[in-house]
Amino acid sequence: MKLRELAHSRTGDKGNTLNVSVICYDERDYAHLLLHAMAERLKAHLGDVVHGEVTRYELPLIGATNSVLRDALGGGVTRSLALDAHGKSLSSALLDLEIPARGYPQEVARVLTALCTNRVPSARLLAPDVRDKMDWLERQRYRTRHLPQGAPTSPALANLCAFRLTYTRYADDLAFSGDEDLARVVERLSVRVAAIALEEGFSIQLRKTRVMRRGARRHLAGVVANQHPNLARSEFDTLKAILTNCVRHGAASQNREAHADFRAHLQGRVAQAVMLNAARGTKLKGIFERIVWDEQIQMGWVRNEG
């Protein structure tokens, strides 16, 4: 692609020195500009005209660069025999610079897409325990490649879509915490955050926006976030009871929702508890490790014999 596809340019002269500014149309392309429009490449591209040193200055706040090209005007306006003594046409010449296209090559993009998406086999969608739970149109959606819920790639993909908004875990929730200074301006903060999100092309669910002050349980994104993140007490107690009953009565007695891999299901819930609160989670992990697993039971194949 040509540099002109992502930026425009302006020039200015002083004696035998030329200034060339390259300004991105979209500030999201600024990193691409810095990577592929380096001073060395600019000088090589304009080598027939620029005989001196090229110095590039970065202006990240406006998504631009300003390059100083020395010995580029044939001695200066009063001495040059060039038709364009001021070097104005060099901005157009510079924008003709070939740079790599944005993004990955097509074959690489296909591989990455395949790694990040999932397609449910038709046989699974037509199984008796699934078929009656969705209509034809919904089954078609699952047959085509789609982003699976809860995939480890989700935060990175969300950040690619969110541009200047950076997420860490959940891509549909924003949470801010602070001290008394934040509490005094929390209403203005809410309005300002909403304005930024709207500018970035997102919609705001105002009915879900709430202020959770000190003294009340702060529950967001499935986590209690008071002094430190934690599982809700009811969820912790329920998980502990399930694990304890698995130890006492066997795992099959607790797999009431017929999870295909009950062991992996419980292991994931315990891992989340450890991640949120290592001390409490370690207790659950200890109980989990005492469970005696039968291969058929953990896969959900329970057979009653009388």
Side-chain angles (χ1 to χ4, degrees), residues 1-169:
M1 65 181 294
K2 300 286 188 181
L3 181 58
R4 67 177 72 255
E5 294 180 43
L6 59 84
H8 59 98
S9 179
R10 295 291 184 270
T11 61
D13 65 283
K14 187 69 174 180
N16 197 26
T17 299
L18 182 70
N19 274 14
V20 182
S21 295
V22 179
I23 307 102
C24 291
Y25 295 119
D26 190 326
E27 63 182 35
R28 292 171 291 186
D29 292 324
Y30 183 57
H32 198 67
L33 171 67
L34 294 181
L35 185 61
H36 299 292
M38 299 173 289
E40 297 80 5
R41 289 209 65 201
L42 301 185
K43 182 171 182 177
H45 183 67
L46 301 174
D48 294 337
V49 179
V50 180
H51 304 289
E53 180 183 1
V54 175
T55 305
R56 188 185 74 174
Y57 298 94
E58 300 174 5
L59 306 169
L61 294 182
I62 59 173
T65 63
N66 182 43
S67 299
V68 179
L69 288 60
R70 294 178 175 80
D71 195 7
L73 296 175
V77 174
T78 58
R79 298 174 55 188
S80 176
L81 299 178
L83 293 176
D84 179 19
H86 292 275
K88 298 299 182 183
S89 61
L90 289 182
S91 62
S92 181
L94 181 61
L95 293 177
D96 207 40
L97 176 68
E98 284 280 355
I99 61 175
R102 289 164 291 188
Y104 294 102
Q106 189 174 33
E107 290 304 315
V108 176
R110 285 176 178 171
V111 172
L112 292 175
T113 300
L115 290 172
C116 296
T117 56
N118 181 54
R119 181 168 50 212
V120 179
S122 294
R124 180 59 187 143
L125 292 172
L126 295 175
D129 61 327
V130 175
R131 182 170 184 170
D132 296 336
K133 295 180 179 179
M134 59 182 71
D135 58 23
W136 179 87
L137 183 59
E138 191 173 2
R139 286 198 297 272
Q140 289 302 106
R141 293 194 186 103
Y142 283 107
R143 282 191 178 100
T144 57
R145 286 208 166 271
H146 58 278
L147 290 173
Q149 185 176 5
T153 52
S154 295
L157 293 175
N159 284 331
L160 289 176
C161 299
F163 308 128
R164 289 182 297 177
L165 294 178
T166 303
Y167 292 98
T168 54
R169 186 178 176 193

